[in-house]
Amino acid sequence: MITLFCLLLPFLAAVVASPLTRKFGHNAAWFLALAPACSFLYFASHLPEIANGEVVTGGYAWVPSLNLSFSWFIDGLSLTFALLITGIGTLIVLYAGGYMKGHPQQGRFFAFILLFMGSMLGVVVSDSFLMLFVYWELTSITSFLLIGFDHTREAARRSALQALVITGGGGLLLLAGLLFLWNISGITQLSLLIHGGDLVRESPFYLAALLLILGGCFTKSAQFPFHAWLPNAMEAPTPVSAYLHSATMVKAGVYLLLRLNPVLGQTPAWEILLPFFGGITLIVGTFLSLRQTDLKLMLAYTTMASLGLLVMLTGFDTQHAISAAVLYLVAHSLFKGALFMVAGIVDHEAGTRDVTRLGGLRSAMPITFGAALLAALSMGGLPLFFGFLAKEEIYYALAGGNLRAMLFTAVAVIGNALMFAIAFAVALKPFLGKPVKTPKHAHEGPVLLWLGPVVLAGLGLFAGLFSSTAHRFISSPMASAIEDKPVQVTMSTVPHLGMPLLLSIITVALGALVFWRLAQARVLMSRFIDALGPGPDRAFDAFIAGLVKFSSAVTRIVQPGRMDVYVTATFVLVAVTLLVPPIVYGELPALPAWPVDVMLHEWVFLAIAAIGVVAVLTASNRLTAIVALGIQGFAVAVLFLLFGAPDLSFTQFMVETLSVVILALVMTRLRLMPSDHRPVLQKLGDGAVAVACGLGFMLLLLKATQGTFNNSLTEFFNAYSKVIAHGANVVNVIIVDFRGTDTLGEIAVVMITGLAILALIRIRTGSTTLKPRDNDPDAPEGEGA
Amino acid sequence: MNTLIFRTVAPFLTALMIVFSIFVLLRGHNEPGGGFIGGLIAASAFAIYGIAYGVAAVRRALWFHPLSIAGAGLMLAVVSGLISAFAGVPFMTGLWIYPHLFGVEVPLATVMSFDIGVYLVVVGSITSIALALEEKDDA
């Protein structure tokens, strides 16, 4: 119960965010941060029991018949993520209070970020598949809102759309993958599924399920070639970047990979695909980040690289690789969150975040500089910091004698070395050196701004110093949950001589070299990447443009805007449907016997009907044709009456009358020529279609009446109409009682048709050109009208 | 259409047809008739009145917009179906009461109000189409 409340707390806070901000301005952050802080404390209170290998579960039945539930499941993996989300979330809300101070839509921003927080929290604690998927898509939608927050700029709108298309599309793949898992195992809950991995791995559908789920995870976690949305998402305000790209959004894919490791892992496909894509992403990410001069973009590409590293480690699938992934994930969340916030402070206070235009800020912003330095030391993986543990464990896991191990070790060393260089470029370049004139006079930001980075960077140091405690409560339970068996993470911050330390030293040396020659490296990398040609970002644009072109081409073919084409197509299709199946399957009716006992008056009405039809065809004037059509219809109505269907004939009379009236009225409206001027050839073609339709209906009716008539329904209605429904008129009783729901649908259609026709009549061509309103919610009312 | 005879006869014809349409609607449960056909008769009655006296006269006489009548009818039909929910039986189950009015037992049913709903929808929709078509372009 309390768990549910803690899960819903961010959503509740989002509801009150706007009014609170209107009342208290940016100080509302202090109140709003209470929501994630409370959740954080609640989750933290479970640390001891989770560390002892217990789990917290609960939930409610949702659709019991489908075995769907709203249920949560908190083990070491979920708990670590929940703590990161709520903990960093608390700091981000405070940071946003300072960063967005005075922004007219600050309340909306708080609401969005809290909504996102709630969705993300839901993803990591979900037990049932459906709940996971719903929250997963919610994070896509809320991140769309956050990235497009600055919606007046086209770049922000494009980035938001791109993120939604890529991650939302990946979400659909994930749904398909989860449905596969459900079908293979018959299980809808992750907590049960992780013990049934063998069942899934042995299934012939394993590969399909794996590829679909990887599609979901890789798009969410920005793996190459789906990474374009991540750097573009830097269009969002910095608190969003700091939150989405440190602990949350992009880690959701990694979370799911780790979560499903016991189910999908330990197979060749898993151990090939993940390290391959992860390794490419790591290298591409670091290379791309090297060419950037924008602090946020440099960090964004290293985020992408870090995600690649995590996916690579997950795919390695050894116990040490998993431990390394765990350590690196936590370390990355802390230092990347801090560095993003630092970049935001620099941008906020100095007015630019272009690293070539910054320098010498250390005396103006000492606290920020300190936080940046601590975070960079952790990111660079220097001793005493948590990042160091992660890097040692990574090398411990990867290093080995065979070719595969050496290849990936080399990838990791290059990636880490470049990230080392970027870390110090972000943390040192703006602060050291000669003071450079910045657009704004730089000074230290308020406490709301520097609190977050200081806490996160400090945690990176403390977690490294007190690593045994961190391992006991965070790393070991998390690794155990991923491996589905008890695991002890023991890596300590004291350097041990050995292969990992050697690799670390190489990494640091290489990183320092790149840092020293950063400007040259940047130019070199720019040339290299430009030589490669356009990347997936351009491909996305081309894809969207192609999609729009394709759909408008299809629309032009399907809806040319000519009524006669639509009508002809419809009736040709009717004729084909009626005529082709009986001919193909030899189901044509037998020729009926010539009736012998037709009465004289029946002949008369038949003749009237025939005369009506002839008159329609020969009429020189449209109005005459319409009336003649009415005569033909009346004659048929009389025939219905003679054959004992008074209700039908009654209705037919009225329908014919009204048809004539309405058709005549339409004629006067349309201002057509009084007579028909179609060329002979077209008349013949239209006539052929009409005859084919008539013939088709005749054959259908003949066939229907020649079959043996099952009169059980007739008997039922005759027997029960009076008894059950108190009505003697069987037809009407069927309409209003036995099949009343059908009638309800039909009258709704009649009503809607009336509305539609009214709307059509009101539209005059030329007088109103429909102009789509700009859907800018902040535009003054009536502007686009 | 504005012949003297037609203009003289039209109001009486319209009134007669509307009375007849209600008669047809109410007898529908036991004899040929019902909401749909009744509605069509009433709609043609309004069409006749409109041809004789013009659209404005019909709109005045109807008081409500024809589509509002149709909407009310749809609402009545839905509500008639929903009443059964309060009696704990499935949607659209016919419920009957037999009050005595002036000493005569009058069977009333949700089925009947449903049929009246059908009648109103048909009258409203068809009339609205016909009137919109009859109206001159300046409307």
Side-chain angles (χ1 to χ4, degrees), chain B residues 37-57:
Chain B
I37 176 67
L40 289 176
I41 294 172
S44 35
F46 291 125
I48 287 175
Y49 196 71
I51 291 167
Y53 285 96
V55 176

Side-chain angles (χ1 to χ4, degrees), chain A residues 258 309-310 313-314 320-330 393-394 478 482:
Chain A
L258 294 173
L309 183 57
L310 285 171
L313 290 169
T314 311
H320 280 290
I322 295 298
S323 305
V326 166
L327 292 173
Y328 190 71
L329 193 146
V330 175
E393 188 79 39
I394 290 169
M478 187 169 164
I482 297 164

Side-chain angles (χ1 to χ4, degrees), chain A residues 350-361:
Chain A
T352 179
R353 48 173 204 258
D354 187 334
V355 76
T356 56
R357 294 171 59 199
L358 289 164
L361 292 174

Side-chain angles (χ1 to χ4, degrees), chain A residues 647 650-651 654-655 658 662 665-666 669 671 725-729 732 736-737 740-741 747 750-751 755 757-758 761 764, chain B residues 28-33 37 40-41 44 67 70-71 77 92 96 111 114-115 121 125 129 132-135 137 139:
Chain A
D647 276 285
F650 214 171
T651 312
M654 289 322 300
V655 168
L658 284 168
I662 287 179
L665 289 172
V666 170
R669 286 290 289 207
R671 296 201 203 89
H726 314 281
N729 179 1
N732 199 54
V736 298
D737 204 334
T741 313
I747 58 175
V750 169
M751 165 100 204
L755 273 173
I757 292 177
L758 203 63
I761 292 171
R764 307 256 197 303
Chain B
H29 213 59
N30 292 311
E31 307 282 334
I37 176 67
L40 289 176
I41 294 172
S44 35
L67 268 180
M92 293 294 290
W96 292 76
V111 174
F114 180 79
D115 214 9
V121 170
S125 301
I129 296 168
L133 285 170
E134 273 181 74
E135 240 153 2
D137 280 342

